[in-house]
Amino acid sequence: MGTISVLLADDQPMLRTGFRYILEAEPDIAVVGEAADGQEAVEETRRLSPDVVLMDIRMPRMDGVEATRLISEGGLRSRVIILTTFDLDEHVVDALRAGASSFLVKDGPADSLVAAIRTVASGEAVLAPRVTRRLLERFAGMPSDAVPPVPPRLDVLTARELDVLRTLARGLSNAEIAVELGIGETTVKSHVAHILEKFRLRDRVQAVILAYDSGLVSPRTTHRSEPS
């Protein structure tokens, strides 16, 4: 793909400057705008249509969760990466449900930020292993009535697509799913694409949320140990 356009949304000017400095050092990334709060982030996303929005989760006027939801529900093509101070922020799950494709901690390495932007811009979703692990723990800790029931039409999935969705919910990569199910990695990619298409999901993160919210999998039985 060509140059990746990025919108920076954070209420701290120094952080925006720091992110701009990191990103503009990359030949394939261009920062096209900035926003100081969630409402401005939505407005600028509509105006600029960036490939990726780097969105702080806590901002005045409108937080990153609501801004992400408006961007996602508005049919905008921009993908959102949520930024948070803590990797187990209480609003992260809400942000992922709202349509975020990834989230990163602000004190993470610069190369992780750049890699995440490239991955999300290509149409994929990315969650670090420790993030996947803690999200599973977060789901496991929720009472059964904490998540409103979602009645997805799972019967539109084939048996193999259901198998792939179950393994996705465990945080496995395409290569790992291929090994576990004994099928080719290209076949896995095709099944994932079909799942996303059938439920109009933006990416793998949304598929994981679907698997848990639908009751297809239980976090207590699908949790696996992952490296930090």
Side-chain angles (χ1 to χ4, degrees), residues 84-157:
T84 179
T85 304
F86 307 104
D87 62 358
L88 194 55
D89 189 291
E90 60 182 359
H91 298 300
V92 163
V93 173
D94 292 336
L96 294 175
R97 280 206 179 92
S101 295
S102 176
F103 86 88
L104 298 170
V105 290
K106 291 183 178 181
D107 61 354
D111 57 352
S112 294
L113 172 63
V114 173
I117 287 174
R118 289 177 177 143
T119 300
V120 168
S122 72
E124 294 293 327
V126 56
L127 290 178
R130 67 172 180 169
V131 170
T132 303
R133 181 182 69 242
R134 295 191 179 189
L135 281 176
L136 294 182
E137 292 170 350
R138 180 64 179 270
F139 272 109
M142 289 180 175
S144 58
D145 61 351
V147 180
V150 178
R153 299 182 300 278
L154 292 182
D155 56 351
V156 304
L157 298 179

Side-chain angles (χ1 to χ4, degrees), residues 16-106:
R16 295 200 306 271
T17 299
F19 290 137
R20 179 182 283 274
Y21 178 80
I22 291 170
L23 298 178
E24 290 189 337
E26 302 297 323
D28 60 334
I29 298 177
V31 176
V32 296
E34 298 185 12
D37 58 61
Q39 184 173 323
E40 188 178 3
V42 175
E43 294 169 353
E44 288 299 280
T45 299
R46 289 171 177 161
R47 185 176 72 86
L48 299 170
S49 190
D51 296 311
V52 176
V53 180
L54 206 56
M55 181 89 71
D56 186 15
I57 203 166
R58 299 174 186 274
M59 291 184 290
R61 288 213 295 173
M62 180 187 295
D63 65 21
V65 175
E66 182 61 21
T68 298
R69 180 175 291 108
L70 290 176
I71 289 170
S72 180
E73 293 178 351
L76 303 176
R77 71 178 188 88
S78 304
R79 293 180 177 269
V80 176
I81 297 176
I82 288 288
L83 288 169
T84 179
T85 304
F86 307 104
D87 62 358
L88 194 55
D89 189 291
E90 60 182 359
H91 298 300
V92 163
V93 173
D94 292 336
L96 294 175
R97 280 206 179 92
S101 295
S102 176
F103 86 88
L104 298 170
V105 290
K106 291 183 178 181

